[in-house]
Amino acid sequence: MPTFATADGARLAYHLRGDGEPLAVLPGGPMRASAYLGDLGGLTAHRTLALLDLRGTGDSAVPADPARYRCDRMVEDVEAWRTHLSLEHMDLLAHSAGAALAMLYAARYPHRIRRLLLITPNPAALGMRATAEERLAAARLRADEPWFAAAFPAFRAWLTDGADFDEVFLPFFYGRWDDAARALSDTEPEQTNEEAAEAYVAQGAFTPAPTRAGLAGLAAPVLVLAGALDGGPCPDLARRTAEAFPNAVFTVQPGAGHYPWLDDPDRFVRRALAFLGG
């Protein structure tokens, strides 16, 4: 397991999987260990995935100052990682909340991005967020599922009434609620640093106007991929995310939720490779 030192001396770990040209990967969660990404649906057959464990997650060190978990303060961690990997320009893939970090990095270091893939991205860095209405509209698309009757009221109460998170509505985050989805879901609590997740989005983490201005100067091509059944972001929110980039392609994966490489690995890999150049 390789490691590197950040500017403040923190020791962070990353994991290499697969063969081929490097593809740097930022996990979501927020603050979930990169292990949940697996081989990204088989993308390791075509590219070497370099999967970063952010501070305090996976095999990376816990910072002495919890304030270092804030998303904007980890941009320099990504830059230190790029330097360590000896990549003059990098292909960067980010999932979910990791996309917020990727956007901040791309705004600050646009000349270091060769291609950027944002998978079911959280657009908080742009001053946007998934609304309860969007999430509920996506949930209603699952009305024919056998678990819907029990899951939907709890999901609505969580989104609109401040009720506690309930595992009964976990199926809404996946395109198929099967054994593979259950297995991935079961790993989330032990892989996620909850304290760090709160700090990741703490006040001051995002300044949308400067970020948008920085991204306006990003010449690199960008792929924004949404899941047709995902509510956070729903396809329309993902489309509006793509509009923040001057050279973006927006696509929706049919039948996919928040983890499109799990829902249809072949389709996901084909789309990613087409964007990356084969």
Side-chain angles (χ1 to χ4, degrees):
M1 175 195 64
T3 65
F4 68 100
T6 64
D8 66 346
R11 180 64 57 176
L12 303 189
Y14 62 100
H15 305 268
L16 297 174
R17 299 187 187 129
D19 296 297
E21 197 173 357
L23 174 61
V25 182
L26 299 178
M31 302 306 287
R32 185 173 179 181
S34 65
Y36 82 94
L37 295 162
D39 65 357
L40 283 176
L43 198 52
T44 49
H46 310 273
R47 300 293 292 258
T48 296
L49 303 184
L51 302 118
L52 181 63
D53 284 340
L54 301 179
R55 291 169 176 256
T57 70
D59 295 307
S60 288
V62 174
D65 180 6
R68 293 291 304 178
Y69 287 134
R70 207 173 76 177
C71 185
D72 60 315
R73 292 173 178 158
M74 290 193 286
V75 169
E76 294 307 317
D77 292 354
V78 180
E79 175 60 5
W81 186 40
R82 180 201 63 78
T83 301
H84 167 79
L85 292 171
S86 300
L87 297 174
E88 185 69 19
H89 310 95
M90 65 178 171
D91 292 337
L92 180 64
L93 181 151
H95 174 238
S96 189
L101 177 55
M103 291 181 210
L104 295 184
Y105 177 82
R108 193 177 302 179
Y109 293 101
H111 57 293
R112 296 302 186 187
I113 298 290
R114 185 168 68 170
R115 302 181 189 88
L116 178 62
L117 297 85
L118 302 176
I119 309 304
T120 59
N122 180 327
L126 302 175
M128 301 190 296
R129 61 185 296 271
T131 66
E133 292 76 14
E134 289 170 340
R135 289 181 177 274
L136 290 173
R140 291 187 182 96
L141 299 175
R142 320 300 294 280
D144 292 335
E145 299 281 3
W147 42 261
F148 179 86
F152 187 79
F155 193 51
R156 181 173 53 200
W158 178 61
L159 290 171
T160 62
D161 299 331
D164 291 339
F165 188 92
D166 192 327
E167 292 185 356
V168 72
F169 55 70
L170 284 172
F172 286 125
F173 295 93
Y174 298 86
R176 296 190 313 276
W177 188 237
D178 56 12
D179 289 344
R182 291 184 185 91
L184 183 60
S185 180
D186 286 346
T187 64
E188 184 169 3
E190 66 184 28
Q191 291 176 345
T192 303
N193 183 330
E194 294 292 350
E195 176 191 6
E198 292 184 12
Y200 187 84
V201 295
Q203 185 174 3
F206 305 119
T207 50
T211 298
R212 286 178 176 272
L215 293 177
L218 179 66
V222 179
L223 172 67
V224 177
L225 188 150
L229 301 177
D230 194 11
C234 67
D236 183 65
L237 181 57
R239 176 190 56 77
R240 287 184 279 128
T241 300
E243 291 173 353
F245 300 90
N247 188 19
V249 176
F250 167 64
T251 188
V252 178
Q253 182 170 314
H258 199 59
Y259 306 88
W261 66 89
L262 187 72
D263 296 320
D264 190 339
D266 291 343
R267 184 186 289 269
F268 175 80
V269 169
R270 286 198 306 269
R271 187 65 190 91
L273 288 179
F275 176 75
L276 288 168

